[in-house]
Amino acid sequence: MSLNKSQQSLPYFQLLQQQLTAHIRNPKQNSYNPKDETAIEPRRLKIYEELFFNNLHDFFSQLFPVCKTVLGEQRWAELIREYLIKHQSQTPLFHELAGEFLDFMHNEFTPLENDPEFLMELAHYEWVELALTVSEESGFVINKDNKQQLPIDLDTQYQLSPLAWPLAYEWPVHKISKDFQPTEKPIEVTTLLMYRSAESSHAQNTPQREKVCFMEMSPLLYQWINQLENFTTAKKALIEVTQQTQMDESALIGFAQQSLAEFEQLGIVRQS
């Protein structure tokens, strides 16, 4: 392995580390046989390299199970190897590696001709579930033991929970599976809402129950929920996004009130 100027100034043990990690990342391209050192038995080196690769392979397989399914085992293994070769992770935290993988997919990954066009969006969709699961943000707690809640008021501003993410994709990523892999991009955009909710109870010593869920939304609802916090009232936001629609005002008001009531019950929005 040739050394650049920064590497030439490193302590000797760090040079050995870099040579070893270069071999683990890409054993076909980089050998590990430093001068003046006792050679490591190839069998042992192979075991260490395979252990590292398999751990990362299994980890990403759990985080992106649908991506693995649609690609198949061989192509998925090639993708993990490409990640190892090309990407320099910026975090030591395991739960942040999914974000590193997503960064690799967007900036360094070289798709093959037979790779599905929806792969990038599918990876993002699967990442969102983990990101919401581990997020340290506080959502809106749902108290189902308390039946009292404020009436829906469209002349009030509503907040969107930081644990509720409106999503728009060109592909129906929430439907993709081994048996459903579209090859033609739909005309309609897929609009979803992924959210993490927590339920509280009056019972003592009862922990909150949290779960990540998703729902399909109409494009109109997607636009409206994205605009809620940009206007002083929910009604003004509604007017902004429905200027080109043919719905009459009473139908729009009913749609808005019903949507907000459902979202409040799910901890997705609350009155400011």
Side-chain angles (χ1 to χ4, degrees):
M1 183 178 74
S2 60
L3 303 179
N4 57 40
K5 290 184 178 180
S6 63
Q7 289 174 317
Q8 290 173 359
S9 64
L10 290 175
Y12 180 63
F13 79 93
Q14 289 186 344
L15 291 176
L16 292 179
Q17 288 176 336
Q18 288 194 356
Q19 290 182 46
L20 179 59
T21 56
H23 172 77
I24 290 172
R25 286 176 176 272
N26 191 358
K28 291 183 178 180
Q29 183 70 29
N30 302 306
S31 61
Y32 181 72
N33 190 22
K35 297 180 179 179
D36 304 323
E37 293 292 332
T38 303
I40 299 177
E41 183 183 352
R43 178 184 62 86
R44 293 184 177 181
L45 203 56
K46 181 71 172 176
I47 290 174
Y48 190 75
E49 181 263 312
E50 288 182 347
L51 281 173
F52 191 92
F53 177 84
N54 290 338
N55 282 339
L56 197 60
H57 175 280
D58 293 346
F59 183 70
F60 283 141
S61 296
Q62 293 177 32
L63 299 182
F64 301 94
V66 184
C67 287
K68 178 186 176 182
T69 297
V70 300
L71 286 177
E73 180 59 49
Q74 180 177 344
R75 179 67 183 120
W76 179 246
E78 293 172 354
L79 185 61
I80 302 304
R81 178 62 67 185
E82 186 178 350
Y83 169 86
L84 271 174
I85 292 172
K86 292 182 176 180
H87 190 71
Q88 295 289 332
S89 177
Q90 301 301 309
T91 177
L93 303 177
F94 263 86
H95 72 269
E96 293 181 354
L97 284 181
E100 295 284 348
F101 187 78
L102 201 64
D103 181 62
F104 154 75
M105 291 287 290
H106 281 284
N107 299 306
E108 297 156 321
F109 170 59
T110 303
L112 300 183
E113 182 179 356
N114 291 331
D115 289 341
E117 289 187 47
F118 56 72
L119 186 60
M120 298 284 193
E121 288 194 341
L122 177 60
H124 182 272
Y125 175 70
E126 294 199 276
W127 167 80
V128 169
E129 181 175 1
L130 174 68
L132 283 173
T133 299
V134 301
S135 174
E136 296 181 356
E137 293 276 7
S138 297
F140 303 158
V141 176
I142 312 165
N143 191 342
K144 289 195 171 182
D145 292 334
N146 184 358
K147 301 301 181 182
Q148 295 181 354
Q149 64 179 47
L150 295 174
I152 299 301
D153 184 1
L154 294 181
D155 291 321
T156 297
Q157 185 181 48
Y158 280 78
Q159 293 177 288
L160 181 66
S161 168
L163 297 178
W165 295 6
L167 306 166
Y169 297 106
E170 294 182 330
W171 297 89
V173 289
H174 60 304
K175 297 179 180 178
I176 292 173
S177 66
K178 181 179 180 180
D179 299 322
F180 177 69
Q181 300 183 38
T183 56
E184 294 186 4
K185 190 178 297 183
I187 297 176
E188 293 290 334
V189 174
T190 293
T191 47
L192 308 171
L193 182 69
M194 189 90 79
Y195 62 97
R196 191 179 90 195
S197 64
E199 298 179 5
S200 68
S201 173
H202 288 314
Q204 294 183 352
N205 301 321
T206 301
Q208 291 184 355
R209 299 184 298 274
E210 293 190 325
K211 58 182 179 180
V212 174
C213 307
F214 84 92
M215 67 170 66
E216 292 187 62
M217 294 192 297
S218 66
L220 176 61
L221 185 54
Y222 170 82
Q223 293 177 54
W224 183 43
I225 198 172
N226 267 307
Q227 292 294 331
L228 280 178
E229 295 180 340
N230 295 331
F231 290 84
T232 54
T233 71
K235 189 173 184 179
K236 289 180 179 179
L238 183 66
I239 293 172
E240 173 66 22
V241 301
T242 58
Q243 291 180 2
Q244 304 301 321
T245 65
Q246 302 300 318
M247 295 176 64
D248 61 54
E249 184 176 352
S250 61
L252 282 174
I253 296 299
F255 157 80
Q257 290 175 329
Q258 181 179 356
S259 298
L260 285 180
E262 179 182 356
F263 286 163
E264 272 197 336
Q265 292 173 359
L266 295 173
I268 293 170
V269 300
R270 71 181 179 192
Q271 293 185 18
S272 299

